Amino acid sequence: MVTLYLQSFESTHRILHIPSFWADYQRYWDDPHNASNELRLKILLVIGLGSSLHKDEITEIGLRKAVHLWVYAAQAWLSGPLEKDRLSVSALQIDCLTIIARQIFSIGADLVWTSMGTLVHKAMQINLHRDPKHLSGISLLQAEIRRRLWTTIIEMTAQSSLDSAMPAKIPESDTEAPSNINDDEIKETTTILHPHPKGTYTTTSFQILLLDSLPVRLRILHLLTSLNTQISYLDVLALSSELSNVSQAYHSFMKDNQSSSITPFHRNLLDWFVRRFMIPLHCHFTNKARTNPLFTFSLKVSLETAMTIMSPEPDDGFSKLMVNGGGLFREGIWCAMAVLTTELLAQLEAQHMDGTLHRNCDYIILLKQSVNNLITLSSERIRYGETNIKGHMFLSMILAKVEAVETGADCELAMARSAKDSLEFCHGLLLAQADSSLLGIADNGRFASGSSLDDGSESPGSGYDLDLDWGFLLPDAGFP
């Protein structure tokens, strides 16, 4: 489990110095009774995050409830009296691991943006926003850990801002980028660093690549969340082009380093973190493209992005993440769902109106397959702990409407039947989930459950005008 975490999430979110962590891990097992709570929590969170990618379903079922307890324990420890050990680099590492775990396991994932604000303030209080060269008595190893941790916190802040459609509160900072070195090339006694060229792969490369793309992503967030900014299409096109260039740059890097330990999981994860910014960036003009061909490029980019992030390279670990992941993974799926289903219904209406529905059907078949894939993914997510069944029912009703229009059947009746079938199917999955204890632990009032089934407060792509609502399913568009 530990190795799974270190090979996956740690590749982009540099939180731990791997040799130091392994030494602490061994020290724990040599004398577990005298280990500090800090070390215990760090190890448990790493094991918990690694378990989200484990192939053994029996092991996962047994660990899932335990991981929830570990996350609550870590949050309780972090929220305790502000003693000295609560405001340190080690405590911030626990904070980062806890927030990532909350997103992966849908434990208060909707509140991560708020938590990130607190984490940024804690980081500033111990001067992570100042480069270590301005601080005295810090070893090269500790300086690199501080730079990596600050970069991770800023990345997590940007991702949470996108998910919540809230401003990214990034403070002024002079902290330099982490050095392009492997973890085994630096230790506490190191006095001189020899960073590799930027084009050489190291265990810090992915974090540096994400950092290179951060300025344009922050400008996208500012454009989307600013109260006083009217979105200009020229600005959208410029930011879109810059983000595409960044994406091409890191793909070129990975192509040049094919002989290294880069895996499909790494490529998929990096793509997810960067590409998903495209859909909210273009969504305002994607909606207008239906009536104004000047904005067709936005529609094209949104569709390509949705198709790309929902069709990752085959990888068992990333497939597990798509099924298990909450937070930014759930939000990315919602955004892609909005784009693909809206396009399917728009194409259906257009071809029905001009009488070409049964002639040029290749594109509609492709979109229907994408929706079918989303239904399958939604089923798997419910089977593995998701309690929000709206997506599954929504997709089923859309597909039923499309098929009814194609066959000339009654749309309203077909949609009602598909909704009923979906509810019955999901009810069976939820019962099985409860019986196998996959439901996790109940909400204790301090965190949201990660599901909006109870109050309907969460909507697909909340905060952005993605135009995915029940109106698309109503038979008022001239369909029989």
Side-chain angles (χ1 to χ4, degrees):
M1 301 292 184
V2 173
T3 302
L4 279 175
Y5 165 79
L6 295 175
Q7 292 176 347
S8 55
F9 301 111
E10 184 68 25
S11 65
T12 53
H13 291 65
R14 295 311 318 269
I15 298 171
L16 307 170
H17 178 245
I18 295 174
S20 299
F21 176 77
W22 278 122
D24 290 340
Y25 185 77
Q26 186 59 51
R27 191 175 75 250
Y28 170 80
W29 287 111
D30 289 342
D31 188 10
H33 298 294
N34 291 322
S36 65
N37 288 334
E38 206 169 340
L39 178 57
R40 291 172 187 268
L41 289 172
K42 199 177 294 184
I43 291 174
L44 289 175
L45 289 169
V46 166
I47 292 173
L49 286 167
S51 73
S52 67
L53 306 177
H54 201 274
K55 296 179 182 179
D56 187 347
E57 185 173 334
I58 302 300
T59 302
E60 181 191 359
I61 292 173
L63 271 175
R64 191 173 184 89
K65 190 170 184 178
V67 173
H68 280 245
L69 293 172
W70 299 343
V71 171
Y72 279 103
Q75 191 67 55
W77 183 82
L78 290 166
S79 303
L82 278 180
E83 300 174 2
K84 187 176 181 180
D85 60 349
R86 304 301 200 276
L87 205 58
S88 64
V89 168
S90 183
L92 291 186
Q93 290 173 325
I94 293 174
D95 221 331
C96 289
L97 291 169
T98 301
I99 289 175
I100 294 174
R102 282 173 53 189
Q103 295 197 78
I104 299 300
F105 293 97
S106 295
I107 306 172
D110 296 337
L111 303 177
V112 163
W113 180 78
T114 304
S115 300
M116 286 308 306
T118 302
L119 179 55
V120 168
H121 291 159
K122 289 180 182 178
M124 293 179 69
Q125 196 160 356
I126 63 170
N127 283 322
L128 285 193
H129 67 302
R130 300 303 313 275
D131 192 78
K133 67 185 179 185
H134 301 300
L135 309 175
S136 60
I138 294 181
S139 66
L140 286 179
L141 173 61
Q142 292 304 315
E144 281 304 309
I145 290 175
R146 292 172 71 91
R147 290 187 181 108
R148 292 176 179 184
L149 193 56
W150 176 251
T151 303
T152 292
I153 290 171
I154 297 305
E155 175 64 30
M156 292 170 64
T157 301
Q159 296 290 341
S160 67
S161 173
L162 182 68
D163 293 331
S164 61
M166 298 296 287
K169 298 296 186 181
I170 308 295
E172 183 180 0
S173 170
D174 61 3
T175 301
E176 296 178 358
S179 300
N180 191 34
I181 56 174
N182 292 300
D183 281 30
D184 57 7
E185 295 172 332
I186 183 172
K187 53 187 178 181
E188 197 63 52
T189 57
T190 299
T191 56
I192 300 177
L193 280 183
H194 300 285
H196 296 276
K198 199 169 184 179
T200 302
Y201 173 76
T202 70
T203 53
T204 318
S205 291
F206 292 133
Q207 183 175 53
I208 295 173
L209 290 172
L210 281 174
L211 184 59
D212 288 342
S213 72
L214 189 60
V216 62
R217 289 185 288 140
L218 289 179
R219 293 203 301 276
I220 290 172
L221 290 172
H222 177 74
L223 183 70
L224 294 174
T225 61
S226 176
L227 296 178
N228 301 316
T229 301
Q230 185 172 2
I231 298 179
S232 162
Y233 195 46
L234 291 178
D235 290 340
V236 169
L237 293 177
L239 290 169
S240 178
S241 176
E242 191 172 344
L243 193 62
S244 295
N245 291 338
V246 167
S247 177
Q248 292 171 7
Y250 68 69
H251 277 289
S252 295
F253 170 85
M254 289 187 283
K255 185 177 180 180
D256 294 340
N257 290 273
Q258 286 181 344
S259 59
S260 62
S261 56
I262 298 175
T263 66
F265 181 93
H266 296 140
R267 291 191 289 269
N268 291 334
L269 193 61
L270 206 61
D271 249 1
W272 191 274
F273 286 148
V274 176
R275 282 186 187 270
R276 72 192 196 98
F277 280 73
M278 280 290 197
I279 295 177
L281 173 63
H282 283 277
C283 69
H284 179 70
F285 297 99
T286 298
N287 296 331
K288 292 183 176 182
R290 313 291 177 190
T291 55
N292 189 339
L294 290 176
F295 304 123
T296 301
F297 178 74
S298 287
L299 177 60
K300 176 178 179 291
V301 170
S302 296
L303 284 168
E304 288 178 350
T305 302
M307 290 283 194
T308 299
I309 65 175
M310 294 311 300
S311 304
E313 288 186 57
D315 179 82
D316 290 340
F318 198 78
S319 296
K320 292 282 289 184
L321 199 55
M322 293 286 283
V323 169
N324 290 328
L328 61 93
F329 297 99
R330 182 189 60 204
E331 293 301 323
I333 293 170
W334 275 115
C335 285
M337 181 193 304
V339 171
L340 294 172
T341 53
T342 302
E343 175 66 3
L344 174 58
L345 292 174
Q347 285 296 319
L348 182 74
E349 179 181 3
Q351 292 193 19
H352 181 266
M353 295 295 290
D354 63 18
T356 60
L357 186 59
H358 299 290
R359 301 178 193 175
N360 304 321
C361 55
D362 290 347
Y363 186 43
I364 284 187
I365 290 174
L366 175 64
L367 291 171
K368 284 172 63 178
Q369 183 58 51
S370 297
V371 172
N372 268 313
N373 292 340
L374 284 168
I375 291 175
T376 301
L377 177 60
S378 179
S379 301
E380 288 300 302
R381 288 179 63 83
I382 295 170
R383 185 174 284 111
Y384 279 87
E386 175 68 75
T387 56
N388 187 344
I389 65 172
K390 290 186 296 186
H392 188 280
M393 184 175 68
F394 199 88
L395 291 166
S396 299
M397 293 173 71
I398 287 175
L399 204 56
K401 178 170 185 174
V402 172
E403 292 173 351
V405 172
E406 289 177 332
T407 59
D410 186 293
C411 283
E412 191 169 353
L413 180 60
M415 288 160 49
R417 285 174 176 168
S418 69
K420 178 177 178 292
D421 292 343
S422 173
L423 288 172
E424 290 176 348
F425 175 75
C426 292
H427 180 252
L429 292 180
L430 291 173
L431 287 178
Q433 180 193 136
D435 290 342
S436 61
S437 299
L438 277 175
L439 197 57
I441 57 178
D443 184 6
N444 67 354
R446 287 180 293 178
F447 297 102
S449 65
S451 164
S452 60
L453 180 62
D454 48 354
D455 60 7
S457 60
E458 176 189 337
S459 60
S462 57
Y464 300 110
D465 184 18
L466 291 172
D467 251 10
L468 181 61
D469 56 52
W470 294 104
F472 276 106
L473 300 179
L474 300 178
D476 58 357
F479 299 149

